[in-house]
Amino acid sequence: MSHDAPTDESLAGRFRPIFARIAEGAAERDLKRELAHEPIRWLAEAGFGAVRVPRAFGGLGGSVEQHYDLLIELAEADSNLPQALRSHFGFIERLYAEVDPARHEPWLRRIAQGAIFGNATTERGDHAIGQLDTVVRQHAEGWHLNGEKFYSTGSLYADWIQVTARREGHPPTPQDHQTFVVVPATAAGVTRVDDWTGFGQRLSASGTTRFDNVALEEDQIFSYRRTGPTPMTAVFQLTHLATLAGIARAIVRDAAAFVRPRKRVFSHGAGQVPAEDPLVQQIVGQLSATAFTATASVRAVARTLGAADRARQRDGQLPADLLTQAELETAQAQVGVVDAVLQAGTRLFDVGGASALLEARGLDRHWRNARTLASHNPTPYKARLLGDHAINGTGPAFYWTVGTRAA
């Protein structure tokens, strides 16, 4: 950490009161499906989006480790919000890892001033693997963007949207590069639709985003290489894992809060009140152990990513060995954490009777949200890659996508 980086205590003092405000309304927002525009604004105004922006550009200059610790705490307050901001922080890390440093400053200054970035990456349908219909074309009057995306996480809250696309025109994009563009969320031709209907992460501000002949300037178009080691898959996946760790901590919090005031017991129970029943205590203790393990796993990977980031700041490049280590550690953490947190979301209900199921309590949201996060990158694929590495020494796949295979 550089000498002018913020202390953990200063970050906690800045953001924990906001996290507490966010937690107060989290269950009700989820129940009513009220998008969290106000909490996102609280975070932006406090500089949360600029934790990883250097102080030289107006940010807080926080480390990778501090960033993920804060994401865990935010997820404990409301697990929708780290996912809603996942693409925002991913944009910052992509600038550092894959974009010419000469292009960083104007975007980092926008973020330091409170701008929030969303995502429009994935397309629905039976496209071939890696194929995109969204296109950037150069015309006589300039560049224009056309296409439609789904799973546009965070874009309903965003000021700017990152859009993956294929580029046609001059200069052409090299074969081993991916193009993305950044457009104002309110630009002419941009339509954001609140049509995410998944049973979890209901407030992550996802859905359909359409781009109809959206005008672009040259400085809004980027490309990056899709070969060789990168931190980006680990960065994005670790955000999910930090969110799962926060969910695990919220499960402990809510289980203890549910048990503490209860008087009703089962006749075959082992305590005068549930709080004194050793079986109930055991369950809450097991939930606590899951939260600890999940948090420790996230912190372990964050240390590796943090070491790689400090090498980048010192030497101007990211060390391939640390990126490989981070990718493998992220997969190990995912395989180890996901099932444990999902089980915790179910075991939570073993601490009480049917009253724990009341909709107003919102205890089901923890399992629903964890299950939704776990579905983004299914663990069997990660476990197989880890096994292949352990047996055969096969390296991780840093870049991957979805689609249909040719017959």
Side-chain angles (χ1 to χ4, degrees):
M1 189 185 303
S2 65
H3 69 278
D4 63 344
T7 64
D8 294 346
E9 293 75 16
S10 68
L11 291 173
R14 187 184 191 106
F15 294 117
R16 279 182 182 162
I18 300 172
F19 296 162
R21 289 173 69 193
I22 289 170
E24 288 175 2
E28 185 176 3
R29 280 193 302 272
D30 187 87
L31 180 62
K32 296 180 178 179
R33 201 183 177 280
E34 294 178 350
L35 290 177
H37 289 287
E38 189 172 39
I40 291 289
R41 189 175 71 250
W42 297 339
L43 291 167
E45 290 174 350
F48 189 76
V51 166
R52 287 281 295 136
V53 173
R55 289 192 173 182
F57 297 139
L60 299 184
S63 69
V64 171
E65 293 91 333
Q66 290 172 325
H67 165 64
Y68 282 105
D69 270 352
L70 289 171
L71 286 184
I72 292 170
E73 291 198 38
L74 177 58
E76 183 179 357
D78 185 338
S79 60
N80 290 280
L81 300 190
Q83 188 183 6
L85 294 170
R86 178 172 176 254
S87 294
H88 172 87
F89 291 114
F91 175 66
I92 296 170
E93 301 302 333
R94 175 149 282 143
L95 288 176
Y96 297 154
E98 298 176 336
V99 173
D100 182 351
R103 302 190 65 185
H104 291 182
E105 182 172 354
W107 299 101
L108 293 174
R109 288 198 180 279
R110 285 186 178 98
I111 292 166
Q113 292 164 7
I116 297 296
F117 286 68
N119 145 76
T121 298
T122 306
E123 298 176 3
R124 289 196 285 191
D126 294 330
H127 305 95
I129 290 177
Q131 178 182 318
L132 293 172
D133 283 346
T134 303
V135 61
V136 178
R137 288 191 178 94
Q138 188 177 30
H139 303 280
E141 66 276 18
W143 293 91
H144 290 84
L145 172 70
N146 286 277
E148 181 175 304
K149 301 288 189 176
F150 195 59
Y151 307 115
S152 305
T153 306
S155 289
L156 293 170
Y157 300 134
D159 302 296
W160 293 81
I161 304 174
Q162 308 163 70
V163 189
T164 56
R166 55 188 172 86
R167 182 165 63 177
E168 297 180 358
H170 300 285
T173 304
Q175 282 295 111
D176 63 352
H177 282 56
Q178 172 71 62
T179 293
F180 74 96
V181 302
V182 187
V183 300
T186 57
V190 176
T191 303
R192 294 174 288 172
V193 184
D194 181 14
D195 58 353
W196 167 244
T197 59
F199 63 62
Q201 296 298 98
R202 294 170 172 172
L203 311 183
S204 58
S206 190
T208 298
T209 309
R210 300 188 182 94
F211 304 94
D212 182 13
N213 214 34
V214 179
L216 302 170
E217 299 294 334
E218 188 76 35
D219 65 357
Q220 293 172 248
I221 304 173
F222 297 82
S223 71
Y224 60 93
R225 293 186 63 188
R226 288 181 60 86
T227 58
T230 177
M232 295 313 301
T233 43
V235 163
F236 283 119
Q237 185 57 41
L238 196 58
T239 302
H240 283 330
L241 294 175
T243 308
L244 286 166
I247 289 172
R249 289 162 63 151
I251 286 170
V252 178
R253 176 200 68 206
D254 289 353
F258 177 79
V259 169
R260 203 172 289 121
R262 281 177 62 80
K263 305 300 181 186
R264 286 166 61 89
V265 297
F266 291 97
S267 59
H268 49 298
Q272 291 298 311
V273 293
E276 297 174 0
D277 190 321
L279 297 177
V280 173
Q281 292 171 349
Q282 178 184 2
I283 291 167
V284 177
Q286 290 169 330
L287 299 178
S288 175
T290 296
F292 173 83
T293 302
T295 299
S297 296
V298 171
R299 286 174 171 168
V301 183
R303 283 195 298 272
T304 303
L305 283 172
D309 186 65
R310 284 184 286 279
R312 172 191 66 82
Q313 295 179 58
R314 183 182 64 246
D315 305 327
Q317 59 184 5
L318 290 157
D321 59 337
L322 285 177
L323 297 183
T324 297
Q325 179 182 339
E327 185 68 17
L328 292 170
E329 287 178 351
T330 305
Q332 290 170 325
Q334 182 183 354
V335 173
V337 165
V338 165
D339 286 347
V341 176
L342 288 173
Q343 184 182 45
T346 297
R347 292 219 67 191
L348 162 63
F349 294 95
D350 289 338
V351 300
S355 61
L357 307 176
L358 295 177
E359 193 175 52
R361 295 188 183 276
L363 297 181
D364 62 307
R365 76 186 190 279
H366 299 312
W367 184 90
R368 289 188 291 99
N369 290 346
R371 179 63 266 175
T372 303
L373 291 164
S375 295
H376 286 295
N377 298 299
T379 55
Y381 297 101
K382 295 292 187 178
R384 187 203 67 77
L385 291 170
L386 290 170
D388 191 13
H389 173 75
I391 296 167
N392 302 310
T394 305
F398 288 96
Y399 293 99
W400 52 272
T401 186
V402 295
T404 59
R405 294 191 186 277

